[in-house]
Amino acid sequence: SGSATVGLLLACTVRLYSTLLLPHLSEGASAGRAAESANMGYVAALGVAVQGVFTLETGLSVQTVLHFAGAIAFVLGTLWHADASNALFTDVGDTALALSPAARTAIIVRRVCSEGLPIMMLMVPIGLQIWHWAAGCESKGGRLQNIIGLAQWALVLNFAVFYCTYACDFWVMLESG
C-alpha cells in the first residue's frame, strides 16, 4: 500500500539522518538525544507502515485498533523525534550546517512544523467538536467530520514538510565532503 511505502521511505530518511547528520551533532551529553531522535524516527516510520497495512474499517475491529495504533505511533514518534532533533540542531557550532543558508532555513522550518502547528491543527477540530456539542448542533456531524479529516491531512502534510527539509541538510553535508 501507499502508506507502507511511505513508511519505508521515512525509515530510509531516518537512516540517512543517522548516518549523515548525527555524527556532526552528537557530542558528549547530546549523544543520548541523538539515539532518541533516530529511534523515534523509526517508530514514526513503523507507525505509518502499520497504518497503511491495517486500513480503517467502519466498525470496531482488531484491524481498526491496529490502524489507530499506527497513527498514534506515527504522530507521537514524529513529535518525539522532532523534539530531540530540534534540541540537537540548536547548536550546530561551526559545521557546514551553520554556514549554509539552506540548512539554517530548513532548521527554522522544522522548528515551526514541530512546535506550534501540530497543536494548533489538533485544537481546531477539538474546539469545533466542543462548540458543536455545547451549541447542540448535532445535524452538522458530516461537516465536522470533514473538518476533522482535513485537519488530519494538514497534520500529515505538516510532518511531510518537516521530514523533507532534511534533504537540505543531507545536500549540505554531502557537498561539504
Side-chain angles (χ1 to χ4, degrees):
S1 83
S3 292
T5 304
V6 169
L8 177 63
L9 291 172
L10 180 52
C12 291
T13 300
V14 173
R15 176 72 175 140
L16 284 171
Y17 168 84
S18 299
T19 305
L20 296 175
L21 300 177
L22 289 185
H24 303 281
L25 299 172
S26 57
E27 296 175 0
S30 64
R33 291 303 305 246
E36 176 186 332
S37 176
N39 291 337
M40 289 301 109
Y42 288 123
V43 167
L46 180 64
V48 170
V50 166
Q51 188 178 13
V53 170
F54 299 101
T55 57
L56 185 62
E57 295 179 333
T58 54
L60 185 61
S61 66
V62 172
Q63 183 165 322
T64 299
V65 170
L66 288 171
H67 177 83
F68 283 123
I72 291 167
F74 170 68
V75 171
L76 293 181
T78 295
L79 290 174
W80 200 338
H81 164 83
D83 182 60
S85 175
N86 288 344
L88 291 170
F89 277 92
T90 55
D91 181 24
V92 291
D94 60 350
T95 65
L97 295 170
L99 301 174
S100 167
R104 288 195 314 267
T105 301
I107 292 167
I108 292 168
V109 169
R110 278 195 299 276
R111 193 167 294 284
V112 169
C113 286
S114 63
E115 291 181 355
L117 287 176
I119 300 301
M120 185 178 71
M121 283 186 243
L122 289 172
M123 293 309 294
V124 167
I126 291 170
L128 286 171
Q129 178 68 40
I130 292 170
W131 181 71
H132 277 271
W133 175 75
C137 302
E138 298 300 323
S139 63
K140 305 284 187 191
R143 186 180 309 164
L144 181 62
Q145 285 178 327
N146 289 339
I147 292 171
I148 291 171
L150 286 173
Q152 289 173 340
W153 277 108
L155 186 64
V156 169
L157 179 62
N158 175 68
F159 288 147
V161 169
F162 174 91
Y163 284 112
C164 285
T165 61
Y166 283 129
C168 295
D169 302 330
F170 299 158
W171 176 73
V172 168
M173 295 311 294
L174 289 172
E175 287 294 311
S176 70

